[in-house]
Short mmCIF file of all heavy atoms in Angstrom, two decimals:
data_model
loop_
_atom_site.label_atom_id
_atom_site.label_comp_id
_atom_site.label_asym_id
_atom_site.label_seq_id
_atom_site.Cartn_x
_atom_site.Cartn_y
_atom_site.Cartn_z
N VAL A 59 25.57 8.32 5.58
CA VAL A 59 26.93 7.88 5.29
C VAL A 59 27.79 8.28 6.46
O VAL A 59 27.90 9.48 6.77
CB VAL A 59 27.46 8.50 3.98
CG1 VAL A 59 28.92 8.09 3.76
CG2 VAL A 59 26.61 8.06 2.79
N ASP A 60 28.36 7.29 7.13
CA ASP A 60 29.13 7.53 8.36
C ASP A 60 28.30 8.35 9.35
O ASP A 60 28.78 9.33 9.95
CB ASP A 60 30.45 8.24 8.05
CG ASP A 60 31.41 7.33 7.29
OD1 ASP A 60 31.30 6.10 7.42
OD2 ASP A 60 32.27 7.86 6.56
N ASN A 61 27.02 7.95 9.47
CA ASN A 61 26.07 8.56 10.42
C ASN A 61 25.70 10.00 10.09
O ASN A 61 25.15 10.71 10.93
CB ASN A 61 26.61 8.50 11.85
CG ASN A 61 26.64 7.07 12.38
OD1 ASN A 61 25.71 6.30 12.14
ND2 ASN A 61 27.72 6.72 13.07
N LYS A 62 25.98 10.44 8.86
CA LYS A 62 25.59 11.78 8.44
C LYS A 62 24.58 11.67 7.28
O LYS A 62 24.80 10.91 6.33
CB LYS A 62 26.81 12.58 7.99
CG LYS A 62 27.78 12.88 9.13
CD LYS A 62 28.95 13.72 8.65
CE LYS A 62 29.90 14.03 9.79
NZ LYS A 62 31.08 14.85 9.33
N LEU A 63 23.50 12.43 7.39
CA LEU A 63 22.47 12.41 6.36
C LEU A 63 23.01 13.00 5.06
O LEU A 63 23.62 14.07 5.06
CB LEU A 63 21.26 13.21 6.82
CG LEU A 63 20.01 13.17 5.93
CD1 LEU A 63 19.42 11.77 5.90
CD2 LEU A 63 18.97 14.17 6.46
N VAL A 64 22.79 12.28 3.95
CA VAL A 64 23.26 12.76 2.65
C VAL A 64 22.05 12.92 1.72
O VAL A 64 20.99 12.35 1.95
CB VAL A 64 24.29 11.80 2.02
CG1 VAL A 64 25.52 11.69 2.91
CG2 VAL A 64 23.67 10.42 1.79
N LYS A 65 22.27 13.67 0.64
CA LYS A 65 21.18 13.98 -0.28
C LYS A 65 21.01 12.90 -1.34
O LYS A 65 21.97 12.47 -1.98
CB LYS A 65 21.46 15.33 -0.97
CG LYS A 65 20.32 15.80 -1.87
CD LYS A 65 20.63 17.18 -2.46
CE LYS A 65 19.49 17.66 -3.34
NZ LYS A 65 19.77 19.02 -3.90
N VAL A 66 19.76 12.47 -1.51
CA VAL A 66 19.39 11.54 -2.57
C VAL A 66 18.85 12.35 -3.74
O VAL A 66 17.95 13.17 -3.56
CB VAL A 66 18.34 10.53 -2.10
CG1 VAL A 66 17.94 9.60 -3.24
CG2 VAL A 66 18.85 9.73 -0.91
N THR A 67 19.39 12.15 -4.94
CA THR A 67 18.97 12.96 -6.09
C THR A 67 18.03 12.23 -7.03
O THR A 67 17.34 12.86 -7.84
CB THR A 67 20.20 13.42 -6.89
OG1 THR A 67 20.95 12.27 -7.32
CG2 THR A 67 21.09 14.31 -6.03
N GLU A 68 17.99 10.89 -6.95
CA GLU A 68 17.12 10.14 -7.87
C GLU A 68 16.76 8.79 -7.27
O GLU A 68 17.57 8.16 -6.58
CB GLU A 68 17.83 9.93 -9.22
CG GLU A 68 16.98 9.24 -10.27
CD GLU A 68 17.71 9.07 -11.59
OE1 GLU A 68 18.83 9.59 -11.73
OE2 GLU A 68 17.15 8.38 -12.47
N VAL A 69 15.53 8.35 -7.55
CA VAL A 69 15.08 7.03 -7.15
C VAL A 69 14.52 6.32 -8.38
O VAL A 69 13.57 6.80 -9.00
CB VAL A 69 14.00 7.10 -6.04
CG1 VAL A 69 13.47 5.70 -5.74
CG2 VAL A 69 14.56 7.73 -4.78
N ASP A 70 15.13 5.20 -8.73
CA ASP A 70 14.69 4.39 -9.88
C ASP A 70 13.88 3.23 -9.31
O ASP A 70 14.43 2.24 -8.83
CB ASP A 70 15.92 3.88 -10.63
CG ASP A 70 15.55 2.98 -11.82
OD1 ASP A 70 14.37 2.60 -11.94
OD2 ASP A 70 16.47 2.65 -12.60
N THR A 71 12.54 3.35 -9.36
CA THR A 71 11.69 2.33 -8.77
C THR A 71 11.67 1.05 -9.59
O THR A 71 11.43 -0.04 -9.05
CB THR A 71 10.26 2.85 -8.60
OG1 THR A 71 9.75 3.26 -9.88
CG2 THR A 71 10.21 4.03 -7.64
N THR A 72 11.91 1.16 -10.89
CA THR A 72 11.90 -0.03 -11.75
C THR A 72 13.03 -0.99 -11.39
O THR A 72 12.84 -2.21 -11.33
CB THR A 72 12.02 0.37 -13.23
OG1 THR A 72 10.93 1.23 -13.58
CG2 THR A 72 11.99 -0.86 -14.13
N ASN A 73 14.21 -0.44 -11.13
CA ASN A 73 15.39 -1.25 -10.85
C ASN A 73 15.83 -1.19 -9.39
O ASN A 73 16.87 -1.78 -9.04
CB ASN A 73 16.55 -0.80 -11.75
CG ASN A 73 16.21 -0.92 -13.22
OD1 ASN A 73 15.95 -2.02 -13.71
ND2 ASN A 73 16.19 0.21 -13.93
N ALA A 74 15.05 -0.51 -8.55
CA ALA A 74 15.38 -0.37 -7.12
C ALA A 74 16.78 0.21 -6.93
O ALA A 74 17.60 -0.33 -6.17
CB ALA A 74 15.23 -1.69 -6.39
N LEU A 75 17.05 1.32 -7.60
CA LEU A 75 18.33 2.00 -7.49
C LEU A 75 18.12 3.41 -6.95
O LEU A 75 17.14 4.07 -7.29
CB LEU A 75 19.01 2.10 -8.86
CG LEU A 75 19.34 0.80 -9.59
CD1 LEU A 75 19.87 1.11 -10.98
CD2 LEU A 75 20.35 -0.02 -8.80
N ILE A 76 19.04 3.84 -6.11
CA ILE A 76 19.01 5.23 -5.64
C ILE A 76 20.33 5.88 -5.99
O ILE A 76 21.38 5.24 -5.97
CB ILE A 76 18.74 5.33 -4.13
CG1 ILE A 76 19.82 4.62 -3.33
CG2 ILE A 76 17.38 4.79 -3.78
CD1 ILE A 76 19.71 4.85 -1.83
N THR A 77 20.28 7.17 -6.33
CA THR A 77 21.48 7.92 -6.69
C THR A 77 21.70 9.02 -5.67
O THR A 77 20.78 9.78 -5.34
CB THR A 77 21.33 8.54 -8.09
OG1 THR A 77 21.08 7.50 -9.05
CG2 THR A 77 22.60 9.28 -8.49
N LEU A 78 22.94 9.09 -5.17
CA LEU A 78 23.31 10.12 -4.20
C LEU A 78 23.94 11.32 -4.90
O LEU A 78 24.47 11.20 -6.00
CB LEU A 78 24.30 9.54 -3.18
CG LEU A 78 23.89 8.26 -2.46
CD1 LEU A 78 24.97 7.84 -1.48
CD2 LEU A 78 22.57 8.45 -1.74
N GLU A 79 23.90 12.44 -4.23
CA GLU A 79 24.50 13.65 -4.79
C GLU A 79 26.00 13.50 -4.96
O GLU A 79 26.59 13.95 -5.95
CB GLU A 79 24.19 14.85 -3.89
CG GLU A 79 24.69 16.17 -4.42
CD GLU A 79 24.33 17.33 -3.52
OE1 GLU A 79 24.37 17.15 -2.29
OE2 GLU A 79 24.01 18.41 -4.06
N LYS A 80 26.63 12.82 -4.00
CA LYS A 80 28.07 12.60 -4.04
C LYS A 80 28.37 11.10 -3.92
O LYS A 80 27.68 10.39 -3.18
CB LYS A 80 28.76 13.37 -2.91
CG LYS A 80 28.58 14.87 -3.00
CD LYS A 80 29.27 15.58 -1.84
CE LYS A 80 29.08 17.09 -1.93
NZ LYS A 80 29.73 17.79 -0.78
N PRO A 81 29.39 10.62 -4.61
CA PRO A 81 29.72 9.19 -4.54
C PRO A 81 30.24 8.79 -3.15
O PRO A 81 30.78 9.62 -2.41
CB PRO A 81 30.80 9.02 -5.61
CG PRO A 81 31.40 10.38 -5.77
CD PRO A 81 30.27 11.35 -5.54
N VAL A 82 30.06 7.52 -2.85
CA VAL A 82 30.53 6.96 -1.59
C VAL A 82 31.80 6.17 -1.86
O VAL A 82 31.93 5.52 -2.91
CB VAL A 82 29.46 6.03 -0.97
CG1 VAL A 82 29.96 5.40 0.31
CG2 VAL A 82 28.19 6.82 -0.71
N VAL A 83 32.74 6.21 -0.93
CA VAL A 83 34.00 5.48 -1.06
C VAL A 83 33.90 4.18 -0.28
O VAL A 83 33.34 4.14 0.82
CB VAL A 83 35.18 6.33 -0.54
CG1 VAL A 83 36.48 5.54 -0.65
CG2 VAL A 83 35.27 7.63 -1.32
N SER A 84 34.42 3.11 -0.84
CA SER A 84 34.41 1.82 -0.18
C SER A 84 35.03 1.93 1.21
O SER A 84 36.08 2.56 1.38
CB SER A 84 35.18 0.79 -1.02
OG SER A 84 35.16 -0.48 -0.40
N GLY A 85 34.35 1.34 2.19
CA GLY A 85 34.81 1.42 3.57
C GLY A 85 33.95 2.35 4.41
O GLY A 85 33.90 2.21 5.64
N GLN A 86 33.25 3.27 3.75
CA GLN A 86 32.33 4.14 4.47
C GLN A 86 31.08 3.34 4.84
O GLN A 86 30.62 2.48 4.09
CB GLN A 86 31.94 5.35 3.62
CG GLN A 86 33.06 6.35 3.44
CD GLN A 86 32.59 7.61 2.72
OE1 GLN A 86 32.23 7.54 1.54
NE2 GLN A 86 32.60 8.73 3.41
N GLU A 87 30.53 3.63 6.02
CA GLU A 87 29.33 2.95 6.49
C GLU A 87 28.09 3.64 5.92
O GLU A 87 27.86 4.82 6.15
CB GLU A 87 29.27 2.97 8.02
CG GLU A 87 30.43 2.24 8.69
CD GLU A 87 30.40 0.75 8.44
OE1 GLU A 87 29.29 0.20 8.23
OE2 GLU A 87 31.48 0.11 8.43
N VAL A 88 27.32 2.89 5.15
CA VAL A 88 26.12 3.43 4.50
C VAL A 88 24.89 2.71 5.02
O VAL A 88 24.85 1.48 5.06
CB VAL A 88 26.20 3.27 2.97
CG1 VAL A 88 24.94 3.82 2.31
CG2 VAL A 88 27.45 3.94 2.41
N SER A 89 23.90 3.48 5.43
CA SER A 89 22.62 2.88 5.83
C SER A 89 21.50 3.54 5.05
O SER A 89 21.49 4.76 4.87
CB SER A 89 22.38 3.04 7.33
OG SER A 89 22.30 4.40 7.71
N VAL A 90 20.58 2.71 4.55
CA VAL A 90 19.48 3.19 3.72
C VAL A 90 18.16 2.75 4.35
O VAL A 90 17.95 1.57 4.59
CB VAL A 90 19.57 2.64 2.29
CG1 VAL A 90 18.45 3.24 1.43
CG2 VAL A 90 20.93 2.92 1.67
N ARG A 91 17.30 3.71 4.60
CA ARG A 91 15.97 3.42 5.13
C ARG A 91 14.93 3.74 4.07
O ARG A 91 14.98 4.80 3.44
CB ARG A 91 15.70 4.24 6.40
CG ARG A 91 16.56 3.85 7.59
CD ARG A 91 16.22 4.68 8.82
NE ARG A 91 17.08 4.37 9.95
CZ ARG A 91 16.83 3.42 10.84
NH1 ARG A 91 15.74 2.70 10.73
NH2 ARG A 91 17.66 3.19 11.83
N PHE A 92 13.99 2.81 3.89
CA PHE A 92 12.94 2.97 2.89
C PHE A 92 11.80 2.03 3.26
O PHE A 92 11.85 1.34 4.28
CB PHE A 92 13.48 2.66 1.48
CG PHE A 92 14.00 1.26 1.32
CD1 PHE A 92 13.24 0.27 0.71
CD2 PHE A 92 15.27 0.91 1.79
CE1 PHE A 92 13.71 -1.02 0.57
CE2 PHE A 92 15.76 -0.39 1.64
CZ PHE A 92 14.97 -1.36 1.03
N ALA A 93 10.77 2.02 2.45
CA ALA A 93 9.65 1.11 2.66
C ALA A 93 9.51 0.21 1.45
O ALA A 93 9.86 0.59 0.33
CB ALA A 93 8.36 1.89 2.90
N SER A 94 8.99 -1.00 1.69
CA SER A 94 8.80 -1.94 0.59
C SER A 94 7.46 -2.64 0.73
O SER A 94 6.81 -2.60 1.78
CB SER A 94 9.93 -2.98 0.57
OG SER A 94 9.79 -3.88 1.66
N SER A 95 7.08 -3.30 -0.34
CA SER A 95 5.87 -4.11 -0.34
C SER A 95 6.10 -5.32 -1.22
O SER A 95 7.10 -5.40 -1.94
CB SER A 95 4.68 -3.30 -0.86
OG SER A 95 3.51 -4.12 -0.95
N SER A 96 5.18 -6.29 -1.16
CA SER A 96 5.28 -7.46 -2.01
C SER A 96 4.39 -7.34 -3.25
O SER A 96 4.22 -8.30 -3.99
CB SER A 96 4.90 -8.72 -1.23
OG SER A 96 3.65 -8.55 -0.58
#
Side-chain angles (χ1 to χ4, degrees):
V59 176
D60 292 334
N61 291 319
K62 294 182 179 179
L63 187 65
V64 299
K65 185 177 180 179
V66 178
T67 58
E68 184 179 354
V69 175
D70 178 350
T71 58
T72 301
N73 301 298
L75 300 174
I76 60 172
T77 302
L78 307 180
E79 184 178 37
K80 298 179 180 179
V82 177
V83 179
S84 181
Q86 289 186 294
E87 298 293 332
V88 179
S89 62
V90 184
R91 292 181 183 272
F92 60 100
S94 71
S95 176
S96 51

